[in-house]
Amino acid sequence: MRVHIKLVFCFILFTAIGNAQNSPDCRSAIPVCGDAPIVVMADGSGDIDDFDPDVIRQTGCLEKGSNSSANIENNTSWFAFRALSDGRIGFDLEATPVAGNATITAEWDFAVYGPDTDCVSISNGTAQPIRCNYEVNPTPFTGLGVNPETGQAGHSFVKGSQNTYDDWLDIVAGEIYYILINNYNTNFDGDPESYTLTFTGEADALDCTFRDEFLGLDIIGCEGDPDIVLSALRSPAGPDVASVTWSVDYDDDGVIDVPNIGSGTEYTVASPNSGRYFVEITTASGMPPTVVDDGGILILFHAPPNPADIEILVLDYLVDRNRIEVVVNGNSSYEYAINGGDFQDDPIFNDVPPGQNTLIVNDKNNCGITDEIPFLVIGYPKFFTPNQDGVHDTWNILGIEELIDPKVYIFDRYGKLLKQLNANSSWNGTFNGKKMPESDYWFRMEYAEDEQTIIVAKTLQNHFTLKR
């Protein structure tokens, strides 16, 4: 059962948590809710590029800009929230001066993603923000709803409007959203900058039990990614910590494999150590005695697709519908494209052209893409045009050289044998030096296949068209 702490206690601690904790990476977005202002000191852009500056130059209204250092990510923060019930929410994002400095050095911008997307879809540009604003801020405030300083109501982002507020957000129970907050316009050196985030509107429609899942949402990473640092200090207990015990279920099968894998307030998960990680915190005050994230956090590292682990199965060939299936020996989600076409999730391709083809496999978690992989489909042209224009002038089985002891016999419609072919010959549409007329012609092919070390004789019959 999730631990719940009284509201007043939660208000005090959660404000403190905001000062101590910030997540500059989407994959470790901090679960939050609307029962208290969140005070944040943003101090960098994280370990990974949520938006590859060479690929993703814009997400919603946020832009990379012309300056090489003006990436989308500058002193970035990521939060996630879950709807408890249907409602309308907004938030105020207020720039505040850093302690000891009366000047506000940051101009904050934001983007809201959801519902129910993930960091992979956000970072590859598939998921676009549903709310966004990077307008020049004439006041310290930006957000959703109504500017509390000017009373100006939000509306869809319009560049140059000087309205730093976007529309209220209508939420539905159970939906999960991400908030990206960053400083686009100033201070590209990553010096710490502060702000407060306060939810408005029907803030009680946000699920505050979500904060009990303080380890965050499950993480999909790639082998070779920077380490993932899990923090016990993001729990509702905040710094009220006497001891911490980390554990891991590597197979995510409900059985803890290592019951005491670490004991500090932070635990570092290095690639490729996939598993579901748990933490138990014993509080110093004893109120409550312990805090746990019951569900833990599942971290999955995926390897890029390896051509050596990719098999192309020919399901049907030498028939009117050549079909192949791509089988990848890997632990990720993939999409496939042949002959420079569009990617598809289905690993089965129909009507594959006979002869040489190419395949590309892409990891859908942004963990890599293969070069073109050549493969051969054995088949026959359904027509040929022996008019000496250099295109389809002769006919034979494409890929016949890959078969065992192939022989091809060509007949006219009355069954007269016109030509016998092998792997090194083809038919030019003549018989005894005479051009044969336009018509359908029949062929029979005899060949052998190695079926589990047994050579099995095969026969195929079909027809094709001669056109002039």
Side-chain angles (χ1 to χ4, degrees):
M1 181 133 183
R2 300 278 183 181
V3 175
H4 299 280
I5 302 175
K6 289 184 179 179
L7 184 62
V8 62
F9 183 55
C10 188
F11 179 95
I12 296 170
L13 285 182
F14 198 59
T15 302
I17 292 171
N19 280 307
Q21 295 294 314
N22 180 53
S23 176
D25 291 325
C26 180
R27 66 183 186 181
S28 52
I30 300 173
V32 294
C33 75
D35 64 353
I38 303 164
V39 181
V40 177
M41 180 68 72
D43 57 1
S45 296
D47 296 323
I48 62 174
D49 284 328
D50 286 304
F51 305 101
D52 184 337
D54 295 325
V55 179
I56 304 297
R57 304 180 64 87
Q58 184 167 7
T59 178
C61 71
L62 305 184
E63 297 178 349
K64 178 187 185 312
S66 57
N67 188 318
S68 61
S69 64
N71 296 331
I72 294 174
E73 303 168 78
N74 291 288
N75 276 12
T76 311
S77 301
W78 286 91
F79 298 100
F81 63 89
R82 184 170 63 205
L84 174 67
S85 60
D86 298 357
R88 187 184 73 166
I89 61 128
F91 59 78
D92 296 327
L93 175 60
E94 180 183 8
T96 55
V98 177
N101 184 355
T103 303
I104 295 175
T105 60
E107 184 172 308
W108 298 103
D109 307 303
F110 69 87
V112 180
Y113 298 86
D116 303 327
T117 185
D118 57 52
C119 292
V120 172
S121 299
I122 292 172
S123 65
N124 67 19
T126 302
Q128 289 292 300
I130 57 174
R131 298 289 187 276
C132 186
N133 197 292
Y134 87 126
E135 188 65 353
V136 175
N137 297 1
T139 76
F141 289 92
T142 186
L144 303 182
V146 177
N147 188 319
E149 184 170 286
T150 66
Q152 187 173 28
H155 57 68
S156 297
F157 174 77
V158 177
K159 188 174 182 178
S161 68
Q162 296 190 338
N163 189 345
T164 60
Y165 270 69
D166 209 327
D167 295 327
W168 296 95
L169 180 64
D170 292 319
I171 58 176
V172 176
E175 293 177 338
I176 294 176
Y177 295 84
Y178 287 86
I179 304 176
L180 162 64
I181 299 170
N182 73 344
N183 171 27
Y184 175 75
N185 288 312
T186 62
N187 191 11
F188 298 126
D189 57 13
D191 287 345
E193 298 158 334
S194 63
Y195 63 84
T196 61
L197 175 66
T198 307
F199 284 95
T200 59
E202 299 168 356
D204 56 357
L206 299 183
D207 185 359
C208 285
T209 66
F210 189 47
R211 202 176 51 243
D212 297 329
E213 301 170 35
F214 53 87
L215 291 179
L217 299 169
D218 294 343
I219 295 174
I220 295 176
C222 303
E223 291 187 6
D225 273 357
D227 296 344
I228 296 171
V229 179
L230 303 177
S231 176
L233 294 175
R234 291 177 182 160
S235 83
D240 182 23
V241 176
S243 64
V244 178
T245 301
W246 296 90
S247 58
V248 62
D249 172 4
Y250 285 121
D251 299 319
D252 193 26
D253 59 2
V255 178
I256 298 296
D257 296 295
V258 184
N260 190 355
I261 200 172
S263 58
T265 55
E266 290 185 341
Y267 183 77
T268 300
V269 180
S271 169
N273 295 308
S274 297
R276 187 174 292 276
Y277 291 81
F278 300 88
V279 66
E280 181 173 335
I281 303 164
T282 301
T283 63
S285 67
M287 296 178 58
T290 59
V291 177
V292 297
D293 182 340
D294 287 342
I297 182 171
L298 179 63
I299 300 176
L300 294 175
F301 290 102
H302 297 295
N306 183 352
D309 296 326
I310 297 173
E311 186 176 5
I312 301 172
L313 304 178
V314 180
L315 304 179
D316 298 298
Y317 61 61
L318 292 171
V319 294
D320 288 338
R321 192 180 189 208
N322 299 326
R323 293 197 307 150
I324 67 163
E325 180 178 9
V326 183
V327 178
V328 182
N329 181 19
N331 65 344
S332 191
S333 298
Y334 306 100
E335 58 184 4
Y336 318 89
I338 65 169
N339 301 328
D342 294 334
F343 282 101
Q344 65 179 50
D345 294 335
D346 190 346
I348 294 179
F349 289 84
N350 297 312
D351 300 315
V352 180
Q356 286 288 346
N357 296 269
T358 58
L359 166 74
I360 296 176
V361 178
N362 180 50
D363 181 277
K364 295 176 67 175
N365 293 303
N366 289 351
C367 292
I369 187 170
T370 65
D371 293 330
E372 288 187 343
I373 302 170
F375 68 95
L376 179 69
V377 170
I378 301 170
Y380 66 92
K382 295 179 181 180
F383 69 92
F384 79 120
T385 55
N387 54 10
Q388 288 73 55
D389 65 352
V391 180
H392 305 308
D393 281 336
T394 61
W395 187 95
N396 200 350
I397 303 295
L398 300 176
I400 190 174
E401 66 275 6
E402 300 297 318
L403 300 176
I404 301 173
D405 193 24
K407 295 182 179 63
V408 180
Y409 304 92
I410 299 175
F411 306 87
D412 66 14
R413 60 191 303 178
Y414 303 106
K416 181 178 180 179
L417 178 63
L418 303 177
K419 186 73 174 180
Q420 179 178 336
L421 307 176
N422 56 33
N424 300 312
S425 61
S426 59
W427 187 42
N428 63 2
T430 66
F431 177 66
N432 289 336
K434 179 181 177 182
K435 293 182 179 180
M436 299 303 293
E438 284 194 1
S439 183
D440 278 358
Y441 292 85
W442 290 83
F443 71 89
R444 183 179 76 248
M445 185 171 74
E446 299 172 356
Y447 64 104
E449 283 189 348
D450 186 346
E451 297 183 358
Q452 298 180 344
T453 73
I454 298 175
I455 302 299
V456 178
K458 301 280 188 176
T459 300
L460 173 82
Q461 296 186 93
N462 219 314
H463 63 92
F464 60 95
T465 301
L466 186 158
K467 296 182 179 180
R468 293 196 184 275

